[in-house]
Amino acid sequence: MLIVQKFGGTSVGDAARIKNVARRVVTKQREGHQMVVVVSAMGHTTDELIDLSRQLTDNPSPREMDMLLSTGEQVSIALLAMAIKNLGAEVISLTGPQAGIKTDNIYSKARITDIVVTRMRAELDAGKILVVAGFQGLNEFNDITTLGRGGSDTTAVALAAALKADLCEIFTDVDGVYTTDPRLVPQASKLDYITYDEMLELAHLGAAVLHPRAVECAKLYGIPLHVRCSFNDNPGTIVKEENEMEKNLVITGVTYTKNVAKLGIFGVPDQPGIAYLIFKMLADRNISVDMIVQSSMRDGINDISFTVAQDDLRKSLETIEEIIKVVGAQGYTHDGDVAMVSVVGAGMNSNPGVAAMMFGALADEDINIDMISTSDIKISCIVKNQFAEKAVQILHNKFELENIG
Amino acid sequence: MLIVQKFGGTSVGDAARIKNVARRVVTKQREGHQMVVVVSAMGHTTDELIDLSRQLTDNPSPREMDMLLSTGEQVSIALLAMAIKNLGAEVISLTGPQAGIKTDNIYSKARITDIVVTRMRAELDAGKILVVAGFQGLNEFNDITTLGRGGSDTTAVALAAALKADLCEIFTDVDGVYTTDPRLVPQASKLDYITYDEMLELAHLGAAVLHPRAVECAKLYGIPLHVRCSFNDNPGTIVKEENEMEKNLVITGVTYTKNVAKLGIFGVPDQPGIAYLIFKMLADRNISVDMIVQSSMRDGINDISFTVAQDDLRKSLETIEEIIKVVGAQGYTHDGDVAMVSVVGAGMNSNPGVAAMMFGALADEDINIDMISTSDIKISCIVKNQFAEKAVQILHNKFELENIG
């Protein structure tokens, strides 16, 4: 088999852990597999480099930031390759550019456009373990780019797709994907299987063991992912297309995002293009909008509500003042102290009553719901920040998630 | 003018010093010059990376070591570029590979084979300051190589040659080149000028402000070097071809290397190829030989003496045992606790009596000379380690070096 393994920053945080990863990789190779290992920067390296840059400028050039941050992974691959070689295996480290990873030109959040596998194939054919720097690539100007948050996960999945790997293992510091945050709900269960779509909803919503971009890429190319712990040999969670058995699971997880801000614009003229205009103005100011809810109940005018990160509230309010002038709305409201709580499950769309169960469970505890948004496999509610944890606990209990997996 | 400036690791050791370098570079650019800046890794970065590697293996792959160490300079160029940009100047950082620096395939001590200046020219023409990583290049396998000790000096001079720069300034933490080590002889004077050859002898012998490879390269391409301090605006020492005025200086410096080992093989058959055989066997074991002295006083047999670093003594003795068997010598002697003291000056070959003055000064202080070796511009003596500093002081005094410069 050709196996791609990805180890995060915690897994290569010091010399002892790097040796541990080396042993794991070499053991797997000696079972007869071809191995490609993707690593992140060691522990807090990236944060330390960012701190250094902040001492020099408040507004670093994104190109120079990528030049700076890409060194973190380069250190990791060199050290891991040394540790693997020390165990007697043939190995070569490759930076993102050397591995043939091509990206677009958007520094600090580049997207992979192509992977030229020539060199990787040649090194694999020569019997070597490949240790590839995650999070980085090369753009058309021959400049180093980084892939932004979750970039190393994306590198691993993209390499698995380009090399037609049989399996992609994502090693992390937790045992797998849980039905909710185990620190919050001790009864949370580890899931043995989860579909790409469920994983996407969970990852987007805060159960951040695997970056959504990586899941999207895995779904696109049909790469099965195995999310597991780098400190033990326990099986983790397999992420793949749904099969019959999983259909029986109505809800696979409860997740939440705290510190959200809710904004509402009321009395918006009901004309084509108005929503576009509003969210274009927000996007132009680099404000990421999460949930959007619009309801038309009166003739000719609409109310539009949406959520943003609490940190973006001030910028959002300034933008809304402009929006109101441009689109001719009547006014706006905001609440900067709310949270989003969601239940996720691929089975819910064939199972009526999930929404009612959710709303009822919250009502039983006197938790008021400010906004509701649903998709095929997710129902999200906005509640006051202070009730977020409690809401997760009662929903996890209500949907009996403590014994699934 | 096109000016290449090189700043060592101490000069970019922290954020404040990086800002200082940025100000210096931008000031120069605003005077109307095109600027290319070469930097080393920050302070102790390289040592820290080496420590990390030692925790993983006693015998790191040189390729992986270069992959590891080259990150140090990459961090420096990104940070310096940010600091320069923060002052409002246009700037771009370039790794050695991006700057078009091609090397041979000898990892950890690669030599520059070519510099493809296309990109550097384009960026300079676009009005940008170039910040180039010293110490590194790219080999024919598309792998990163490092140039070994003194590599950043060599990068600076090679870039100056390739770009046909008007001046190459080497910034360091001392004021320039001194007649001897000022920590040892307080009367040591800074030299205003020194020839390439004198600088070569001084640098080889321990006055290590500028690496010999860089001086050789500067001499080859006729690049004038200005060695100066990065913490003030004082003029330093200009290194260039000798002119009339300098011819008057008989001796420009006194230098020394402590902790040397002296070895002698006696009764060596006087046949062609014997010396080759001896030093080939030493070279094959990676033992660097410094001074070599051979005298033929008896018919058919020779004595050959040479010096090595003290650290190489044990390996040298093992090799000598083999050598004696192979070449049929009578025996050998050694002294592992000696030092080399040298006087250097381009004027000495037109000035008889310098050697006699040197030997006399040492004799006056009862310092015994174990070995003597001379070149056109240098006389070196081997003395007991314990007399090294004293020898330097009396020679500096004897040749009246306290007021030249």
Side-chain angles (χ1 to χ4, degrees):
Chain A
M1 288 216 296
L2 173 54
I3 302 176
V4 176
Q5 296 188 324
K6 180 258 170 179
F7 294 90
T10 316
S11 305
V12 293
D14 58 34
R17 287 181 173 187
I18 290 173
K19 286 182 186 175
N20 176 48
V21 169
R23 268 190 301 271
R24 204 177 250 283
V25 172
V26 171
T27 303
K28 205 80 187 169
Q29 192 212 28
R30 289 191 178 145
E31 291 170 8
H33 304 299
Q34 287 190 306
M35 301 299 296
V36 177
V37 189
V38 175
V39 283
S40 304
M42 292 172 74
H44 300 292
T45 308
T46 304
D47 291 336
E48 285 163 18
L49 292 171
I50 291 172
D51 279 351
L52 263 176
S53 74
R54 290 220 173 112
Q55 292 176 43
L56 294 167
T57 175
D58 294 331
N59 187 23
S61 141
R63 178 191 182 277
E64 300 303 341
M65 208 63 198
D66 283 4
M67 176 71 90
L68 181 68
L69 295 185
S70 60
T71 62
E73 283 73 24
Q74 193 175 326
V75 168
S76 297
I77 57 170
L79 293 174
L80 179 56
M82 288 177 192
I84 288 175
K85 179 128 194 169
N86 201 44
L87 297 175
E90 287 300 308
V91 59
I92 189 163
S93 72
L94 298 172
T95 61
Q98 286 174 335
I101 299 171
K102 311 291 180 193
T103 75
D104 61 21
N105 297 323
I106 317 292
Y107 296 104
S108 90
K109 38 189 164 186
R111 298 193 79 91
I112 297 175
T113 53
D114 192 19
I115 299 183
V116 181
V117 299
T118 325
R119 178 160 189 186
M120 286 197 292
R121 275 278 174 237
E123 305 284 5
L124 281 171
D125 290 348
K128 290 179 196 164
I129 294 170
L130 308 192
V131 181
V132 180
F135 182 67
Q136 58 182 241
L138 197 71
N139 69 13
E140 60 174 315
F141 307 123
N142 200 30
D143 283 345
I144 299 158
T145 52
T146 69
L147 307 181
R149 290 278 158 194
S152 290
D153 289 347
T154 307
T155 300
V157 175
L159 289 183
L163 291 167
K164 303 189 184 6
D166 301 285
L167 179 62
C168 181
E169 298 187 305
I170 307 286
F171 287 90
T172 173
D173 51 358
V174 295
D175 274 330
V177 182
Y178 278 75
T179 51
T180 193
D181 185 345
R183 287 166 302 186
L184 185 62
V185 182
Q187 300 88 345
S189 343
K190 184 176 70 67
L191 295 159
D192 291 338
Y193 294 95
I194 188 171
T195 68
Y196 296 118
D197 285 339
E198 287 170 333
M199 189 65 207
L200 276 173
E201 293 291 6
L202 284 172
H204 269 301
L205 294 171
V209 289
L210 187 56
H211 198 271
R213 285 172 62 189
V215 181
E216 277 163 16
C217 186
K219 184 185 175 193
L220 189 61
Y221 291 98
I223 308 288
L225 303 178
H226 188 180
V227 179
R228 56 193 305 193
C229 183
S230 62
F231 305 125
N232 61 47
D233 285 322
N234 301 340
T237 301
I238 306 273
V239 189
K240 57 174 189 172
E241 274 316 328
E242 58 184 333
N243 62 28
E244 279 310 307
M245 204 192 86
E246 290 151 30
K247 287 244 183 194
N248 297 332
L249 276 183
V250 176
I251 298 297
T252 46
V254 181
T255 182
Y256 68 112
T257 311
K258 291 200 68 173
N259 303 322
V260 172
K262 177 187 77 161
L263 298 111
I265 308 179
F266 56 85
V268 179
D270 186 11
Q271 293 162 5
I274 290 285
Y276 165 75
L277 200 62
I278 292 173
F279 293 105
K280 173 84 167 50
M281 286 177 74
L282 289 161
D284 284 350
R285 282 150 190 84
N286 229 351
I287 298 167
S288 243
V289 173
D290 195 349
M291 184 191 283
I292 299 175
V293 174
Q294 178 185 314
S295 52
S296 309
M297 275 168 291
R298 285 164 294 169
D299 267 359
I301 53 169
N302 280 330
D303 298 341
I304 295 181
S305 300
F306 57 90
T307 61
V308 299
Q310 218 169 51
D311 288 345
D312 281 337
L313 177 60
R314 179 192 292 210
K315 210 162 40 153
S316 301
L317 291 174
E318 290 166 10
T319 311
I320 279 194
E321 305 260 5
E322 289 181 58
I323 287 172
I324 286 180
K325 284 180 211 144
V326 174
V327 306
Q330 292 170 356
Y332 67 95
T333 61
H334 69 276
D335 183 343
D337 192 36
V338 296
M340 174 153 55
V341 177
S342 310
V343 296
V344 174
M348 72 166 69
N349 58 1
S350 56
N351 200 312
V354 171
M357 255 175 96
M358 179 179 187
F359 304 152
L362 294 174
D364 284 347
E365 300 287 333
D366 276 336
I367 297 174
N368 195 44
I369 302 172
D370 278 1
M371 279 169 76
I372 298 170
S373 172
T374 62
S375 78
D376 279 358
I377 63 166
K378 183 192 66 166
I379 305 169
S380 300
C381 296
I382 296 293
V383 301
K384 289 299 278 181
N385 228 355
Q386 72 203 81
F387 297 131
E389 288 86 354
K390 177 142 198 215
V392 171
Q393 283 157 345
I394 60 172
L395 291 170
H396 195 270
N397 196 35
K398 186 77 176 180
F399 289 103
E400 297 172 348
L401 296 178
E402 64 273 18
N403 291 317
I404 72 167
Chain B
M1 287 217 295
L2 173 55
I3 302 176
V4 176
Q5 295 188 325
K6 181 258 169 178
F7 294 89
T10 316
S11 305
V12 293
D14 58 33
R17 287 182 172 186
I18 290 173
K19 286 181 186 175
N20 176 49
V21 169
R23 268 190 300 271
R24 204 178 249 283
V25 172
V26 171
T27 303
K28 205 80 188 170
Q29 192 212 28
R30 289 192 178 144
E31 290 171 10
H33 304 297
Q34 287 189 306
M35 302 298 296
V36 177
V37 189
V38 175
V39 283
S40 305
M42 292 172 73
H44 299 293
T45 308
T46 304
D47 291 336
E48 285 163 19
L49 291 172
I50 290 173
D51 279 352
L52 263 177
S53 74
R54 290 220 173 111
Q55 292 174 45
L56 294 167
T57 175
D58 294 331
N59 187 25
S61 140
R63 179 191 181 276
E64 300 302 341
M65 207 64 197
D66 284 3
M67 176 71 90
L68 181 69
L69 296 184
S70 60
T71 61
E73 283 72 24
Q74 193 174 326
V75 167
S76 296
I77 57 171
L79 293 174
L80 180 56
M82 288 177 192
I84 288 174
K85 180 126 194 172
N86 201 43
L87 297 175
E90 288 298 308
V91 60
I92 189 164
S93 71
L94 297 172
T95 62
Q98 285 174 335
I101 299 172
K102 311 292 180 192
T103 74
D104 61 20
N105 297 323
I106 318 291
Y107 295 105
S108 91
K109 39 190 161 184
R111 297 193 79 89
I112 297 174
T113 52
D114 191 19
I115 299 184
V116 180
V117 299
T118 326
R119 178 161 190 184
M120 285 196 292
R121 275 279 174 234
E123 305 284 5
L124 282 171
D125 289 348
K128 290 180 195 165
I129 294 171
L130 309 191
V131 181
V132 180
F135 182 67
Q136 58 182 239
L138 198 71
N139 70 12
E140 59 174 315
F141 307 124
N142 200 30
D143 283 346
I144 300 159
T145 52
T146 70
L147 307 180
R149 290 277 157 197
S152 290
D153 289 347
T154 307
T155 300
V157 175
L159 288 182
L163 292 167
K164 302 189 186 5
D166 302 285
L167 180 62
C168 180
E169 297 186 305
I170 307 285
F171 287 89
T172 173
D173 51 357
V174 296
D175 274 331
V177 182
Y178 278 75
T179 51
T180 194
D181 185 347
R183 286 167 302 187
L184 186 63
V185 182
Q187 300 87 346
S189 342
K190 184 177 69 67
L191 295 159
D192 291 339
Y193 295 95
I194 189 170
T195 68
Y196 296 117
D197 286 340
E198 288 170 333
M199 189 65 208
L200 275 173
E201 294 290 8
L202 284 172
H204 270 299
L205 294 171
V209 289
L210 187 56
H211 198 271
R213 284 172 63 189
V215 181
E216 279 163 15
C217 184
K219 183 185 177 191
L220 189 61
Y221 291 97
I223 308 288
L225 303 179
H226 189 180
V227 179
R228 55 192 305 193
C229 183
S230 62
F231 306 125
N232 60 47
D233 286 321
N234 301 340
T237 300
I238 306 272
V239 189
K240 57 174 190 173
E241 274 316 329
E242 58 185 333
N243 62 26
E244 279 309 307
M245 205 192 85
E246 289 151 31
K247 286 246 183 192
N248 297 332
L249 275 183
V250 176
I251 298 296
T252 46
V254 181
T255 182
Y256 68 113
T257 311
K258 291 201 68 173
N259 303 322
V260 173
K262 175 188 79 161
L263 298 111
I265 309 179
F266 56 85
V268 179
D270 187 11
Q271 294 163 3
I274 290 284
Y276 165 75
L277 199 61
I278 292 173
F279 293 105
K280 173 83 165 54
M281 286 177 73
L282 289 161
D284 284 349
R285 282 151 189 82
N286 229 351
I287 297 166
S288 243
V289 172
D290 194 348
M291 183 192 282
I292 299 174
V293 174
Q294 177 186 314
S295 51
S296 308
M297 274 168 292
R298 286 165 295 170
D299 267 359
I301 54 170
N302 280 331
D303 298 341
I304 296 181
S305 300
F306 56 91
T307 60
V308 299
Q310 220 170 49
D311 289 345
D312 281 336
L313 177 58
R314 179 192 292 209
K315 209 162 42 154
S316 302
L317 290 175
E318 290 165 11
T319 311
I320 278 193
E321 305 261 5
E322 290 180 57
I323 287 172
I324 285 180
K325 284 181 211 141
V326 173
V327 306
Q330 292 169 357
Y332 68 94
T333 61
H334 70 275
D335 183 342
D337 191 37
V338 297
M340 174 153 56
V341 177
S342 309
V343 297
V344 173
M348 72 166 67
N349 59 359
S350 56
N351 199 314
V354 171
M357 256 175 94
M358 179 178 186
F359 304 152
L362 294 173
D364 284 348
E365 300 288 331
D366 277 336
I367 297 173
N368 195 43
I369 302 171
D370 278 1
M371 280 169 76
I372 298 170
S373 172
T374 62
S375 78
D376 280 357
I377 64 166
K378 185 192 64 167
I379 305 170
S380 299
C381 295
I382 296 294
V383 300
K384 290 297 278 181
N385 228 354
Q386 72 203 79
F387 297 131
E389 288 87 353
K390 178 145 199 209
V392 171
Q393 282 157 344
I394 60 172
L395 292 171
H396 196 270
N397 195 36
K398 186 77 178 180
F399 289 103
E400 297 172 346
L401 296 178
E402 66 273 20
N403 291 317
I404 72 166

